Amino acid sequence: MSSHSPETADWPGRYYHIDQVLNTPGPRTDEGFLAGDGVKNFLREQAKILVIGAGGLGCEILANLALTGFKDIHVIDMDTIDISNLNRQFLFRPKDVGKSKAIVASEFIMQRVPGVKVTPYFGKIQDKDDDYYMQFNLVICGLDSVEARRWINATLVNLVDPENPESLKPMIDGGTEGFKGQARVILPTITSCYECSLDMLNKPTAFPICTIANTPRLPEHCIEWASVLEWPRVHGDKKLDTDDPDHIGWLYRVAAARAAEFKIEGVTWSLTQGVVKNIIPAIASTNAIIAAACCNEAFKIATSSAAYLNNYFMLIGTDGVYSYTFEHEKRDDCPVCGGQALEMTLSPDMSVEELIEMLTEKQDIQIKKPSLSTPTQQIYFQAPPQLEQATRPNLEKKVSELVPPNGEVTVTASTLPFSLSLRISYST
């Protein structure tokens, strides 16, 4: 047993192995690496790092960062702990169910690794302003939401001021799905951003409304029917909260009854929650691999002790184990980091409603509930209700009636902090 008290912040030898990396340059170190006390002091006393997400990836990331020498860590998560989290989110215990993930995770890390300060925020990333994000040297995302990734990606790109090098905040993004995972390094405005690679994502599963309404064949059809058709019919304008157990319980009961009516088996509470929250299966060991990759990149960026990833790492464990890295290139027409309008050729007969549907389905755009306008008029706005009602007649009109050839359409959505510019031309 060690003679040093567990409360001692830095007992002798605590960072012995890490110091072997930081004390002297080597054949693999970055050209700008300044070995010695300066880099160790920056890592342990000055670097401030933000972790977004305290779930399966986030728990691993927080532990790795604390044990690697980062001492000023902040974590954001809007979720509370569910009993189903306990098989892989190892910072939590059964007594923590119902509590804030961010708060419990931060308390656990500080107790386990004395001397490390973890500051939690129980809420949404959208609650914080630019000044909040400007304080960090580095951001690591362990998110399970494409929308949240798109939001923080655009926010960090918008922060960049060419006159202020400190405004560039490297973002490391990790994600897992079963035995597969990915980690990437994004230097806002310099490398490809998250938005540049939307076309690499699997297209979200969508079930035809006619099948859901009339001829369900799968348990998922019954759950979609309950959430998409029955909830608004019964509850009116009341918003479905997928984090509310009472709401999930209502959907489960209604979906189970419909499944029984059509002799369909397999509707369960967990499946109901999985369908409406689009939950992706997670395996603890895959989370550990991807979190380790993310934290190694954070360590390399913070210390320059080795060349960091350029810029994409993929792990595929479904057929043995296969991994590879590649450089994902910037898109010139990326609405976030490209700064150019997206060229789009439409049929002269296409309606505004059809254009909106195309924008939601297009793999490299994927904007939910887009609102459209030109420099001179509002074409269609999803909200507020009065504006939606006023612009609703335009849905049936042809785009060509409202937008001249080579005209620009601005697309916005409440879930994204950027606008997309379309330059419209028409096929002959």
Side-chain angles (χ1 to χ4, degrees), residues 170-181:
M171 170 176 152
I172 300 169
D173 178 53
T176 66
E177 180 179 342
F179 290 105
K180 297 184 290 185

Side-chain angles (χ1 to χ4, degrees), residues 213-227:
N214 302 314
T215 54
R217 300 183 301 277
L218 302 171
E220 290 85 352
H221 292 162
C222 300
I223 296 165
E224 283 283 301
W225 174 83
S227 62

Side-chain angles (χ1 to χ4, degrees), residues 344-350 400 405-406 424-428:
M344 189 168 278
T345 302
L346 309 179
S347 162
D349 296 323
M350 176 176 279
S400 55
N406 295 317
I424 304 294
S425 58
Y426 300 99
S427 56
T428 54

Side-chain angles (χ1 to χ4, degrees), residues 18 21-22 30 32-50 65 68-72 136-140 170-172 185 187 294-309:
I18 293 171
V21 177
L22 299 180
D30 189 273
F33 179 46
L34 299 174
D37 291 340
V39 68
K40 290 188 285 187
N41 182 67
F42 175 78
L43 175 68
R44 294 163 195 168
E45 306 301 333
Q46 298 175 40
K48 185 179 287 190
I49 192 163
L50 173 64
L65 291 175
T68 308
F70 289 94
K71 289 188 176 179
D72 190 353
F136 300 106
N137 299 101
L138 193 63
V139 177
I140 304 185
M171 170 176 152
I172 300 169
V185 172
L187 303 181
C294 290
C295 292
N296 277 351
E297 296 312 311
F299 182 81
K300 290 188 283 185
I301 291 172
T303 63
S304 297
S305 55
Y308 52 78
L309 176 66

Side-chain angles (χ1 to χ4, degrees), residues 207-231 248 250-268 271-273 275-276:
F207 301 110
I209 287 290
C210 56
T211 300
I212 294 170
N214 302 314
T215 54
R217 300 183 301 277
L218 302 171
E220 290 85 352
H221 292 162
C222 300
I223 296 165
E224 283 283 301
W225 174 83
S227 62
V228 174
L229 299 177
E230 276 300 279
W231 179 274
I248 297 295
W250 186 91
L251 293 178
Y252 165 61
R253 292 189 295 273
V254 171
R258 183 166 176 82
E261 179 185 346
F262 285 87
K263 296 181 172 56
I264 297 170
E265 296 181 354
V267 173
T268 62
L271 181 64
T272 303
Q273 189 178 47
V275 168
V276 298

